[in-house]
């Protein structure tokens, strides 16, 4: 009789386990059926947005000096590569640069700031300058540029 009771109890237990729906196992200390939420919190999102906004503001303030540097580099390259200036004097190179700089709207350097070296048929033009970019309040960034171009033998 006792063995019959033990067998029927184990059969009842097996039937009860078979009838229970499959539920995700809960971690200790958490109610069954609840899962841990994932994702970014509102405060985390605000911190990320503030950092992205500051980076964008600084980027927008730093883009114009770099664009002007690229324009100066392009004008120097075009001036040195001009076939009409192969046998020109440094003063003629300065005049040619001034005309091109005026068309491009370059204000950072003038023709007087150019350093021109001629070695035979080879010509090298270069100019160094600094740009001070105000960021916020009394904080600013100073960027030093050196643009140069050479052509010839």
């Amino acid at each position: 009789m006792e063995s019959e009771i033990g067998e029927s109890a184990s059969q009842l237990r097996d039937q009860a386990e078979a009838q229970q729906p499959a539920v995700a196992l809960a971690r200790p200390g958490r109610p069954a059926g609840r899962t841990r939420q994932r994702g970014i919190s509102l405060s985390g999102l605000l911190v990320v947005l503030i950092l992205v906004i500051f980076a964008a503001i600084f980027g927008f303030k730093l883009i114009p000096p770099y664009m002007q540097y690229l324009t100066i580099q392009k004008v120097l390259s075009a001036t040195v590569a001009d076939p009409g200036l192969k046998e020109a004097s440094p003063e003629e190179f300065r005049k040619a640069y001034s005309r091109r700089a005026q068309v491009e709207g370059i204000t950072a350097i003038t023709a007087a700031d150019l350093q021109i070296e001629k070695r035979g048929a080879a010509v090298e033009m270069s100019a160094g300058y600094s740009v001070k970019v105000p960021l916020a309040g009394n904080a600013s960034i100073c960027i030093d540029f050196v643009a140069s171009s050479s052509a010839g033998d």
Side-chain angles (χ1 to χ4, degrees):
M1 177 111 162
E2 284 182 25
S3 65
E4 289 178 17
I5 294 176
E7 287 177 17
S8 64
S10 66
Q11 287 174 354
L12 287 174
R13 194 173 339 121
D14 291 340
Q15 288 175 356
E17 287 176 3
Q19 291 177 355
Q20 288 182 352
V23 177
L25 297 175
R27 291 185 178 170
R30 290 192 182 167
R34 289 196 177 182
T35 59
R36 181 175 173 214
Q37 294 199 6
R38 297 182 181 173
I40 191 167
S41 65
L42 182 60
S43 60
L45 179 66
L46 289 175
V47 168
V48 169
L49 284 176
I50 288 171
L51 291 175
V52 167
I53 288 170
F54 278 125
I57 289 171
F58 292 147
F60 288 135
K61 287 188 177 210
L62 295 177
I63 287 173
Y66 280 99
M67 294 301 294
Q68 188 166 39
Y69 166 74
L70 293 174
T71 304
I72 290 170
Q73 188 70 37
K74 180 180 75 170
V75 168
L76 287 178
S77 296
T79 304
V80 168
D82 188 353
L85 296 173
K86 290 289 183 199
E87 300 297 323
S89 68
E91 191 57 39
E92 290 170 327
F93 274 104
R94 283 187 170 81
K95 286 179 184 177
Y97 169 80
S98 291
R99 287 191 300 271
R100 292 173 193 246
Q102 186 176 11
V103 169
E104 294 290 338
I106 296 172
T107 58
I109 60 172
T110 63
D113 298 327
L114 293 176
Q115 297 159 355
I116 302 169
E117 292 183 28
K118 288 187 77 169
R119 285 180 239 108
V123 177
E124 181 178 351
M125 292 177 67
S126 62
Y129 65 101
S130 296
V131 176
K132 188 175 180 181
V133 179
L135 294 178
N138 61 353
S140 61
I141 292 179
C142 184
I143 307 170
D144 295 324
F145 292 105
V146 177
S148 67
S149 183
S150 60
D153 297 331

